[in-house]
Amino acid sequence: MKGIELIKKAFALQNVERVPWVPFVGCHGGHLINVTASEFLKSSDLIFKGVSKAVEIYKPDGIPVLFDLQVEAEALGCRLVWSDDNPPAVVSHVLLEGKTLSDLSVPSSTDGRIGIAIDAAKKLRKEFPDIALYGLITGPYTLALHLLGTDIFMKMLEAPEEILALLDFTKEVGKAMAGYYIDAGCDIIAVVDPMTSQIDPDSFEMFVHEPAKEIFDFIRAKGKLSSFFVCGHAQQNIEAMCATHPDNISIDENIPLDFVRDIALKNEISFGGNLKLTVVLLMGTPEDARREAMECLDLGGKIGFVLAPGCDLPKDTPPENIKAITELVNDEYLQQVERAKEKSETEIALLNMKDYGRVNKVIVDIITLDSESCAPCQYMVEAVKRVAPHFEGIVVWREHAIKKMEAVTFMNSLLVKNIPTICIDGKIAFVSKIPPQNELIAAIQQRINEKFKLIISSRRAEVLILGKNDAECKEAREAVELAMKETGKHISLKTSTDSAMKATFGVVNTPAIILTEHKIKARGEVPSVDIIKEWLKDI
């Protein structure tokens, strides 16, 4: 059966002989033809060559023309920063730079790089008439955030009518983009709106429902299929997404596949996902990829399910990992073999985080997929960058993009399960939600206050080193000083070679290290004898 026919059956919730396979090949297509992401995404010829190569070796039932959620924003005047390994990132927001909504107009099919994407779609349609061609458009909420920046979160509360007007405009951009792709021959229009993972169901209903529903109605009226694609921890909004009436819901690894399956099928909507991008597809082995795909196939079943990565493939994903999935999808015997194998997850050694965050400065860690390629991750990092100057010299921040194994290890060591996540001194503070500036400042300030109290408290303590002579005390002193440096403690340190002092503490063998803590137990009153006895038991 042709790929397009198989996907149409899945979207129609008909039982299929095998689950359709749609690898989301974005700038990974550039990797397949040895060009950079920036070269790839700026040329319709290179997009055609890269996607054609992916079709040749991955044998998909469907494939996107382009996976770049910055195309519309760029055409509307936002500046981009380019990368050799990822899609570009939006670094300016036109509605914060003097322009108003009335200054913007829906871009044409030739504005910016839109013409490149449409030209590539036409070439791919002609070359591959039997596979489902996906046209990916930026969802109305994510495009609104590109245009306005994170100010959108505050304005949703303070000036909701402005945000409704903005989303009415981005809806029209979405409909226009859908029309351009449909005219170019695309079978499925995927509305990719990752930033909806940052809002609650009530906000989704108020701001996103109607624009998204109108786009899906427009696609349906054109006789084509649609998919609502969300990245990030958007579990709370799956029901709301279904209510916009797409033909398909597609999710990433942040959301359990069986959770989405049950809700989607209840709403008579097909669903897709959610192969793990980094730990498995990017950093794993072909065996890891087969095992992950088999788990997804068993969870998804053969009614309404489309197997796909959780988002676009990282550029340097090893092709052999994706080929392994292709082989598994098309071979029932391999699936039986895989099911028969003993399931075992790769164990990742964890770091000892017991003393993490003991230094004087407050450490803010942002765990991301990669802020260069993931919109929610980008705006989470920007939120931290914006408040960091308020705490100059006190706060250190850093991003941990889990496209590298050391970042995966760090994430697991902090017990972080969803991305993006902000941790403050090793403690999870904000999960999959971009914090308003005042909340982030308050959380950091609270930790600074806690640290200040700890530092003051630790200065009341004292470390005493006893030895026969200064040379004997030297090694112990160096060890204690290093320990204080690594934990950020400021404790009084003294050494003594006095025999009477050693006798006071009953020390026979030296060197000896003695820690004393001068803790205030009572103020302004004499406690009862029973309370004092309890204190003495701790000595």
Side-chain angles (χ1 to χ4, degrees):
M1 179 177 287
K2 296 176 182 179
I4 178 62
E5 295 172 353
L6 193 65
I7 287 180
K8 284 181 175 179
K9 284 188 70 174
F11 273 41
L13 304 183
Q14 297 174 12
N15 191 52
V16 293
E17 52 269 34
R18 69 167 178 83
V19 171
W21 160 228
V22 180
F24 289 125
V25 176
C27 59
H28 175 68
H31 175 71
L32 297 179
I33 57 173
N34 298 312
V35 298
T36 65
S38 56
E39 291 170 329
F40 180 73
L41 296 172
K42 293 177 182 178
S43 166
S44 64
D45 288 337
L46 292 178
I47 293 169
F48 172 74
K49 290 177 182 177
V51 175
S52 295
K53 188 65 177 179
V55 172
E56 175 192 337
I57 63 177
Y58 300 149
K59 298 177 175 56
D61 299 299
I63 201 162
V65 175
L66 187 69
F67 208 121
D68 182 345
L69 301 186
Q70 290 66 235
V71 170
E72 296 94 328
E74 181 186 29
L76 288 165
C78 295
R79 293 193 309 276
L80 308 183
V81 61
W82 286 88
S83 166
D84 287 344
D85 299 315
N86 295 296
V90 172
V91 293
S92 74
H93 311 289
V94 293
L95 295 181
L96 294 180
E97 298 181 330
K99 287 194 174 184
T100 65
L101 188 57
S102 61
D103 295 322
L104 303 181
S105 58
V106 174
S108 73
S109 62
T110 58
D111 285 348
R113 287 183 297 119
I114 297 174
I116 291 173
I118 300 307
D119 187 51
K122 291 176 179 178
K123 293 175 181 176
L124 290 166
R125 176 74 296 159
K126 184 177 180 181
E127 185 71 15
F128 304 107
D130 295 336
I131 69 171
L133 202 57
Y134 280 66
L136 269 58
I137 67 173
T138 308
Y141 189 76
T142 296
L143 181 56
L145 200 142
H146 283 333
L147 298 177
L148 184 58
T150 53
D151 284 9
I152 194 172
F153 299 118
M154 190 60 68
K155 281 185 173 288
M156 285 165 64
L157 299 174
E158 296 178 347
E161 68 286 348
E162 291 183 26
I163 304 305
L164 289 170
L166 175 56
L167 281 159
D168 189 60
F169 171 74
T170 57
K171 170 202 69 182
E172 293 302 322
V173 175
K175 287 164 63 176
M177 289 294 296
Y180 302 152
Y181 272 119
I182 290 170
D183 291 343
C186 289
D187 307 287
I188 300 167
I189 303 300
V191 178
V192 189
D193 214 345
M195 295 310 300
T196 58
S197 64
Q198 302 298 305
I199 58 178
D200 59 40
D202 288 341
S203 297
F204 188 103
E205 173 65 26
M206 181 174 182
F207 296 102
V208 181
H209 173 86
E210 201 56 40
K213 183 177 181 299
E214 282 195 38
I215 294 174
F216 295 130
D217 288 345
F218 172 84
I219 296 166
R220 189 171 294 107
K222 291 280 188 177
K224 300 297 180 180
L225 297 170
S226 63
S227 177
F228 202 161
F229 195 150
V230 62
C231 307
H233 190 59
Q235 188 164 329
Q236 74 280 6
N237 288 330
I238 299 300
E239 284 277 12
M241 291 170 65
C242 289
T244 62
H245 303 305
D247 296 299
N248 174 267
I249 297 284
S250 192
I251 50 96
D252 74 6
E253 63 201 74
N254 279 281
I255 309 175
L257 185 58
D258 52 352
F259 175 86
V260 176
R261 175 198 65 204
D262 293 346
I263 293 178
L265 293 181
K266 180 187 71 175
N267 286 277
E268 299 184 342
I269 294 173
S270 69
F271 61 103
N274 62 343
L275 294 164
K276 293 183 176 68
L277 283 178
T278 54
V279 176
V280 174
L281 300 187
L282 177 63
M283 294 181 287
T285 64
E287 184 177 16
D288 295 330
R290 281 191 294 269
R291 182 166 57 244
E292 171 71 9
M294 194 66 253
E295 183 175 338
C296 289
L297 289 171
D298 284 342
L299 280 174
K302 288 189 174 181
I303 295 179
F305 178 52
V306 176
L307 180 66
C311 198
D312 59 323
L313 295 171
K315 181 174 180 290
D316 295 331
T317 301
E320 55 268 25
N321 290 352
I322 310 305
K323 289 179 185 177
I325 297 174
T326 296
E327 293 168 357
L328 184 78
V329 167
N330 289 281
D331 193 323
E332 282 281 355
Y333 175 72
L334 280 181
Q335 293 176 26
Q336 294 172 19
V337 171
E338 195 60 43
R339 287 191 185 97
K341 290 180 181 178
E342 182 180 357
K343 293 184 179 180
S344 62
E345 291 191 9
T346 302
E347 290 190 7
I348 300 175
L350 300 182
L351 304 172
N352 183 354
M353 308 298 286
K354 182 170 66 70
D355 294 322
Y356 192 75
R358 295 289 184 90
V359 295
N360 284 345
K361 294 184 178 181
V362 171
I363 303 172
V364 179
D365 295 296
I366 313 125
I367 317 300
T368 69
L369 174 62
D370 188 339
S371 63
E372 290 186 354
S373 61
C374 164
C377 300
Q378 175 193 341
Y379 289 114
M380 186 79 96
V381 170
E382 285 188 4
V384 175
K385 286 170 69 174
R386 185 179 295 129
V387 305
H390 291 266
F391 304 99
E392 189 171 357
I394 304 173
V395 170
V396 175
W397 71 270
R398 50 208 178 192
E399 178 185 358
H400 304 267
I402 64 166
K403 287 184 178 179
K404 296 182 178 178
M405 184 54 76
E406 57 264 32
V408 175
T409 301
F410 186 80
M411 177 182 78
N412 287 323
S413 300
L414 288 180
L415 303 180
V416 171
K417 300 298 183 185
N418 298 292
I419 53 176
T421 287
I422 292 175
C423 297
I424 299 176
D425 271 348
K427 305 295 183 185
I428 296 172
F430 299 97
V431 180
S432 294
K433 288 287 187 294
I434 299 170
Q437 183 170 324
N438 61 329
E439 289 186 21
L440 184 54
I441 289 175
I444 294 173
Q445 187 62 60
Q446 180 181 350
R447 181 55 184 161
I448 291 172
N449 295 342
E450 291 171 355
K451 264 191 167 167
F452 184 71
K453 291 177 183 177
L454 289 171
I455 290 170
I456 295 299
S457 175
S458 66
R459 284 176 176 162
R460 298 193 185 103
E462 180 179 85
V463 175
L464 176 63
I465 298 173
L466 302 177
K468 295 185 182 71
N469 49 51
D470 290 341
E472 189 180 56
C473 294
K474 184 173 182 289
E475 183 179 357
R477 184 183 185 95
E478 289 175 350
V480 173
E481 287 175 340
L482 179 59
M484 286 195 291
K485 181 179 179 181
E486 292 184 354
T487 58
K489 293 289 186 181
H490 296 276
I491 302 175
S492 174
L493 174 59
K494 297 179 181 178
T495 60
S496 176
T497 57
D498 182 65
S499 299
M501 182 73 76
K502 284 181 272 187
T504 299
F505 286 100
V507 171
V508 176
N509 299 315
T510 57
I513 300 176
I514 299 166
L515 175 64
T516 64
E517 294 182 81
H518 304 290
K519 293 183 177 178
I520 298 173
K521 289 291 191 178
R523 300 181 190 213
E525 63 178 358
V526 178
S528 69
V529 173
D530 287 338
I531 290 176
I532 296 174
K533 283 163 61 178
E534 289 301 313
W535 294 342
L536 295 177
K537 289 177 183 178
D538 293 333
I539 298 177

